[in-house]
Amino acid sequence: MMKNDEKNAEAIKTNVSKPDADIKEIEPKKVRKKRHILLYIAIIGFVFYAVITIINQSVEISKKRIELQNLQQQINVVEIQTQYLEKVQNYTGKELEEYIEKIAKEDMGYIGEGERIFINVAGE
């Protein structure tokens, strides 16, 4: 009878220990699921951050391109002005006199000796 009692005791122990084992196995699965969920959330957050960063960089690049175009236009204007000033700097004699007279008349409003200025009052 002892053997039967021992077998019953072992059966009871195994039955009692099985639910504990099942609980232990279930708990790591829950923890794994939580870890997977946290990992997915982290990945989604990183992707969201990366997309926003890329969009911001694209906006900054387009702004810098526009700024570059404006600066290139300013450089072209300054180069044209420099070429003009170099040309004027080489004027001598009659060319220089004509240039000075042109500037005096157009920019400063002077008139030459014996000249008259007529103003169209009708605006035509």
Side-chain angles (χ1 to χ4, degrees), residues 12-110:
I12 291 172
K13 285 181 185 177
T14 56
N15 286 339
V16 170
S17 64
K18 279 189 178 179
D20 290 339
D22 290 341
I23 292 173
K24 289 180 184 176
E25 288 178 16
I26 292 173
E27 287 178 8
K29 287 182 182 178
K30 287 183 181 179
V31 171
R32 284 185 203 156
K33 285 183 181 180
K34 287 181 182 178
R35 286 184 187 165
H36 289 298
I37 291 172
L38 291 176
L39 181 64
Y40 291 138
I41 290 172
I43 290 171
I44 290 170
F46 176 75
V47 169
F48 185 71
Y49 171 77
V51 168
I52 289 178
T53 303
I54 290 170
I55 290 170
N56 284 338
Q57 291 298 321
S58 297
V59 169
E60 287 296 318
I61 288 171
S62 64
K63 286 180 183 177
K64 294 297 179 183
R65 282 187 180 150
I66 291 170
E67 185 178 339
L68 178 63
Q69 288 175 351
N70 291 336
L71 290 174
Q72 286 175 339
Q73 287 176 350
Q74 289 176 1
I75 288 171
N76 290 338
V77 168
V78 169
E79 285 177 349
I80 291 170
Q81 289 174 344
T82 302
Q83 290 172 355
Y84 177 72
L85 291 174
E86 286 174 354
K87 181 181 173 187
V88 169
Q89 198 174 25
N90 293 329
Y91 283 168
T92 56
K94 190 168 181 165
E95 287 180 327
L96 182 61
E97 287 177 23
E98 289 174 356
Y99 176 73
I100 292 173
E101 185 178 336
K102 176 185 166 191
I103 295 297
K105 287 181 179 180
E106 291 177 3
D107 294 342
M108 298 181 180
Y110 289 102

